[in-house]
Structures are given as C-alpha cells and as structure tokens.
Amino acid sequence: SIFISALDWAFYLSTFGILTFIMILKLRNIYFIPLFIVILFSLYISQVRTGFILLFLGIVIYFLINSKIKIIRRLSFYVPFIAIITTFLVMLTGNSLNDTSTLGRLVQHYQLINEFTVFGSGMGKHAFNFDSLYIYVFLTYGVFGILFFYIQYWIINKLIIVNNNIRKLNFNRYEIVLVQFMIVYHLVSLYLFAFQHTLGSPTFFILYLFSFIVLSKANYKLKKEVLC
C-alpha cells in the first residue's frame, strides 16, 4: 500500500491505529505508545485526511461504548451518521467547493438522485464509477440496498451483545480487545462507506471474517454453559 495507494495505506494505518489505541487502554501496556506515535506520523506523511477522521471517530466511539451510562453507550450508534451529515455540511461550504475531490463527490450524489430506480440497474453497470459505496449499492440494487444496512446493524448489534456479556463468556483480555475493536471499526466503516468504495479491500474482509469468528465462539460458549 505504501507504494501503490496512499489512500489504502491510510486505511491500514487507521485500522491499526484504532487497534493499538484500544490495546494501550485495555491491556494497560505503555509499550504500544511508541507504535501509536509512529502510526500518527505515518498518517501525516500519507497526506490523506480520511485516515485521521477514521482514527478520531474510532477513539470517540471507543469511549462511548465503554461508558457506564447507558444513554451515552447508545450514542455510539449515531456517531457515524452525525459525522456523515457534518462532512456534507462542510463539503457545501464555500472553501470546500474549491476542492475538485469534494465537487466530484457532490456530483456523484446528485447522480444518485437522478438515476435511482426502485429495483436498481443490476450488477456491473456502475462498477468503479463512484467513490461512495452507498451510491453504488443503491444504484445497483435499488430499494434492496437497504439490506446492506440491515446486515451491518445485525453484526454490530450481535457484537455489542457479546461485549455486554463478556464476564459470562469468560473472554480473556485479548479477546475483549478484539470484540471492542470490531464494534468500533464496524461503526467507523459506516462513515467510511459514505465517501469511499472499499468494501472489497483485505482490511474489511478480515474485519468481517473475525467478526463471525468471535460471534461463533461466543455462541459456542453460551451453548456450552447451558448444557453444563
């Protein structure tokens, strides 16, 4: 990624940055601090603002899901959507409209409004045409694109249930880190997908893979506890 795409490199850095931050706090291991500083410096070198935004959102969501106040924990669900709306408002300001990247994205969202059909246009027609995954999903699948959000919600909800029952499941510290990391990054990805088409990248493939591994392990432990 260093030599191919600064954008991909920033995604990997933000992923490991969020994981490293969680490990510093959950494992209380100061040896990860130099690594976190290196990640921040590398993000600066990449000159990709999205990486910093993802890392910032990840840190905010981490603190929200670990709050002892239930209402604040629920706010973590709304962070990606608040961030999306805020980004659009910034994009519509005068200074941002001078950015060719911003203008290109606004045109693509206008195209979504004009070309949207109830049943979509089918797979392949809009491949690689849009920065936003959401635009591609709704133009390709129409109203059925809402299923993507349902699947995302289902995975996040299941992971949160696992996180709320960590003590019953007897997960070790590293498993707790993995569970919370995936909750955070699934929520962060809801923001990312609004502006980047990255679902097929290895980062997110691994993310979904480990999500289902954790859910399967939690389900196994719960069944074992009932049988015992």
Side-chain angles (χ1 to χ4, degrees), residues 137-149:
V137 167
F138 281 113
L139 285 181
T140 301
Y141 303 106
V143 293
F144 297 102
I146 200 70
L147 291 174
F148 172 79
F149 294 94

Side-chain angles (χ1 to χ4, degrees), residues 15-73:
T15 302
F16 287 112
I18 293 171
L19 178 59
T20 303
F21 183 83
I22 295 174
M23 292 177 75
I24 291 171
L25 295 184
K26 281 294 178 184
L27 303 180
R28 297 181 180 178
N29 192 332
I30 61 173
Y31 294 108
F32 287 107
I33 294 177
L35 176 59
F36 187 72
I37 294 173
V38 170
I39 290 171
L40 289 176
F41 181 68
S42 299
L43 276 173
Y44 173 74
I45 293 175
S46 72
Q47 293 294 298
V48 177
R49 56 195 170 197
T50 307
F52 279 109
I53 295 173
L54 297 180
L55 182 58
F56 174 74
L57 289 178
I59 292 173
V60 170
I61 292 171
Y62 169 78
F63 283 117
L64 289 177
I65 66 172
N66 282 283
S67 173
K68 294 181 180 180
I69 303 173
K70 190 175 182 180
I71 296 176
I72 294 179
R73 289 200 302 270

